[in-house]
Amino acid sequence: MTEKKSFRSAFITVTVLFFLWGFITVLVDSLIPRLKDVFELSYFQAGLVQFAFFLAYLVISVPAGALLSRIGYQKGIIVGLVTMAVGCLLFYPAASERVFWIFLVAYFTLAGGITVLQVAANPYVSVLGSEDGASSRLNLSQAFNSLGTAIAPLIGASFLLSDTIKSSEEISVLTDVDRSSYYVSEAAAVQTPFLFIAAFIGLLALLFVFIKLPKILEKNPVGGYGKLLKNKIVMLGALGIFLYVGAEVAIGSYLVNYFMSMNISEIILQNESMKYLAENLLNTDLGTIDSKAIVGAFVVFYWSGAMVGRFVGAYLTRIMKPTKVLSIFAFLAIIMLLISMNTGGLTAMWSILAVGLFNSIMFPTIFALTIDGLGDLKPQASGLLCMAIVGGAVIPPAYGFLTDNVGFKVALLLIIACYGYIFIFGRIKSRTLK
């Protein structure tokens, strides 16, 4: 097999992983409204679920980068997949026992596995070809990541949000038999999808045991992290990843609650075309499901917009400077948020969903621009950048706190500030490339 064909096969195989962690990351977003109802949490407390998930990026990323430098990308991928499978299995006892801290442990474990995959797969794809095409390749792989994120809301709405959660007062008046039956059905809604996912991940891990990926790393660089911490672009890029992931996750996590606060479900039911669209998305009669599932189905457009944008972005970053594309997309995301802040109803809904389209190229483009020219330091740089994904643990609770105190729309100013920095990063990086 020629090197070019070997790289193409490796690219296709590793891109499957991008789909997988995109699907799972957004699927767990669907659990947040459910857990908020089950445990009767405030918006700030609900944001702590994402804190547990993204804390893993802070804790695991740097050790993962060091591990990859020693064992290589392929073995690192296997370690990540096995850890993810364990995390998925932990949702079974968490749902059975209805214990919040077990859910948090499951989230952290699952995210730990995803972190190892992120640290391995992103730089691996970037070096499977020329340096100039790194942004384009990473955007293409991330497009399949977005395919996973586009499918996940529908699965989440169907399995995790479709039934009505009873309050503690409602549960207290049930008979022992009815209470037991309710707990079993409530647990099964969470357990079933995650058991299937764990089985799929296990099979995928076996596949990576037997396939052979091209070896990219030549040596384990000494003092890599010390050098990277002195690199201005690496530090600016890490902050860009921190703010981007935080903004993207904050929007995605609170979309259902944001729409509920504007009574979007009632607007959908009163609008024949919107009602028809929702029924087709969920493949069910809207009268039989909870209002959260109705608005939750439309979250698919947020994540599918990112998928479309990444396919487009893979092309745009070939014909335009990636730095220019990044700044333009950040600016347009800000415009969409301003529209949503200052309107209501369907205009506010569709404008914030459109932010997903402009989110699309941000992570892969920031990532590729940051590790450009770092050679064998890329796994460790990837560790630092993936550590910055902890922004998903910090920004959503901060957004939730602001929402509790000033409302959803004013709180969007925090998200606008995040995209403002990304716009500036694109301009700064553009000057360094001249």
Side-chain angles (χ1 to χ4, degrees), residues 8 13 42 49 55 58 84 87 94 120 138 155 193 208-209 232 270 277 285 292 347 365 395 412 419:
R8 186 183 300 119
T13 303
S42 70
V49 174
L55 181 64
L58 178 66
M84 286 175 64
L138 205 47
I155 303 298
F208 274 89
V209 169
K232 178 183 176 182
Q270 293 168 7
L277 178 57
D285 179 3
K292 292 193 300 297
T347 301
T365 304
I395 304 297
L412 286 175
Y419 289 118

Side-chain angles (χ1 to χ4, degrees), residues 1-19 21 73-74 77 81 117 120-129 137-138 140-142 144 204 207-208 210-217:
M1 182 184 290
T2 66
E3 182 179 64
K4 188 174 182 179
K5 287 183 178 179
S6 176
F7 280 4
R8 186 183 300 119
S9 298
F11 176 82
I12 293 169
T13 303
V14 175
T15 295
V16 174
L17 302 177
F18 283 79
F19 171 87
W21 82 62
Y73 290 114
Q74 184 164 354
I77 286 169
L81 288 169
L117 287 189
N122 282 298
Y124 190 71
V125 166
S126 75
V127 297
L128 286 173
R137 282 192 304 278
L138 205 47
L140 185 56
S141 283
Q142 289 281 355
F144 287 93
L204 199 57
L207 172 65
F208 274 89
F210 294 106
I211 64 173
K212 186 176 182 180
L213 295 177
K215 185 177 180 181
I216 302 295
L217 290 177

Side-chain angles (χ1 to χ4, degrees), residues 258-321:
Y258 180 48
F259 294 160
M260 293 292 288
S261 74
M262 295 188 291
N263 297 316
I264 296 296
S265 60
E266 293 180 17
I267 296 172
I268 291 170
L269 291 172
Q270 293 168 7
N271 185 305
E272 286 301 319
S273 59
M274 293 294 292
K275 183 178 179 181
Y276 176 79
L277 178 57
E279 287 177 336
N280 279 274
L281 286 170
L282 293 168
N283 195 30
T284 189
D285 179 3
L286 299 188
T288 64
I289 60 175
D290 190 79
S291 57
K292 292 193 300 297
I294 297 173
V295 296
F298 284 86
V299 178
V300 70
F301 292 104
Y302 178 69
W303 298 109
S304 61
M307 176 186 65
V308 172
R310 280 172 177 165
F311 280 115
V312 173
Y315 172 72
L316 289 178
T317 50
R318 280 191 177 275
I319 64 171
M320 297 172 62
K321 290 182 178 178

Side-chain angles (χ1 to χ4, degrees), residues 123-429:
Y124 190 71
V125 166
S126 75
V127 297
L128 286 173
S130 68
E131 194 86 58
D132 291 342
S135 289
S136 180
R137 282 192 304 278
L138 205 47
N139 267 292
L140 185 56
S141 283
Q142 289 281 355
F144 287 93
N145 175 272
S146 295
L147 176 60
T149 64
I151 295 171
L154 297 180
I155 303 298
S158 298
F159 284 92
L160 303 176
L161 298 177
S162 59
D163 57 331
T164 301
I165 303 298
K166 296 183 184 298
S167 67
S168 56
E169 290 81 6
E170 291 172 324
I171 293 172
S172 67
V173 300
L174 295 176
T175 66
D176 290 342
V177 173
D178 288 341
R179 187 182 302 116
S180 177
S181 176
Y182 170 71
Y183 284 157
V184 169
S185 63
E186 181 192 80
V190 174
Q191 292 167 334
T192 301
F194 282 98
L195 284 176
F196 278 110
I197 293 169
F200 176 76
I201 294 172
L203 291 173
L204 199 57
L206 282 176
L207 172 65
F208 274 89
V209 169
F210 294 106
I211 64 173
K212 186 176 182 180
L213 295 177
K215 185 177 180 181
I216 302 295
L217 290 177
E218 297 298 329
K219 58 183 178 179
N220 181 21
V222 177
Y225 285 118
K227 295 176 183 177
L228 293 171
L229 291 172
K230 297 176 183 177
N231 186 309
K232 178 183 176 182
I233 290 298
V234 170
M235 292 297 97
L236 292 175
L239 180 57
I241 294 290
F242 178 93
L243 295 175
Y244 161 70
V245 174
E248 180 191 50
V249 172
I251 294 172
S253 298
Y254 288 103
L255 275 178
V256 170
N257 297 117
Y258 180 48
F259 294 160
M260 293 292 288
S261 74
M262 295 188 291
N263 297 316
I264 296 296
S265 60
E266 293 180 17
I267 296 172
I268 291 170
L269 291 172
Q270 293 168 7
N271 185 305
E272 286 301 319
S273 59
M274 293 294 292
K275 183 178 179 181
Y276 176 79
L277 178 57
E279 287 177 336
N280 279 274
L281 286 170
L282 293 168
N283 195 30
T284 189
D285 179 3
L286 299 188
T288 64
I289 60 175
D290 190 79
S291 57
K292 292 193 300 297
I294 297 173
V295 296
F298 284 86
V299 178
V300 70
F301 292 104
Y302 178 69
W303 298 109
S304 61
M307 176 186 65
V308 172
R310 280 172 177 165
F311 280 115
V312 173
Y315 172 72
L316 289 178
T317 50
R318 280 191 177 275
I319 64 171
M320 297 172 62
K321 290 182 178 178
T323 51
K324 186 174 183 179
V325 178
L326 178 64
S327 291
I328 290 171
F329 275 44
F331 177 76
L332 292 173
I334 292 170
I335 296 299
M336 292 300 105
L337 288 169
L338 288 172
I339 292 172
S340 189
M341 279 182 64
N342 293 283
T343 58
L346 296 180
T347 301
M349 183 188 83
W350 286 116
S351 56
I352 199 167
L353 289 175
V355 174
L357 176 66
F358 304 113
N359 277 340
S360 57
I361 59 95
M362 292 185 188
F363 184 94
T365 304
I366 295 171
F367 199 101
L369 289 172
T370 304
I371 66 172
D372 180 37
L374 293 179
D376 283 339
L377 286 173
K378 285 182 178 179
Q380 293 172 324
S382 178
L384 288 176
L385 293 177
C386 288
M387 183 174 69
I389 294 174
V390 74
V394 177
I395 304 297
Y399 180 75
F401 177 80
L402 289 174
T403 297
D404 286 331
N405 289 278
V406 298
F408 279 106
K409 290 186 179 292
V410 176
L412 286 175
L413 289 171
L414 173 64
I415 311 302
I416 288 172
C418 294
Y419 289 118
Y421 174 83
I422 293 168
F423 174 85
I424 294 170
F425 173 77
R427 305 307 303 157
I428 292 173
K429 180 64 179 179

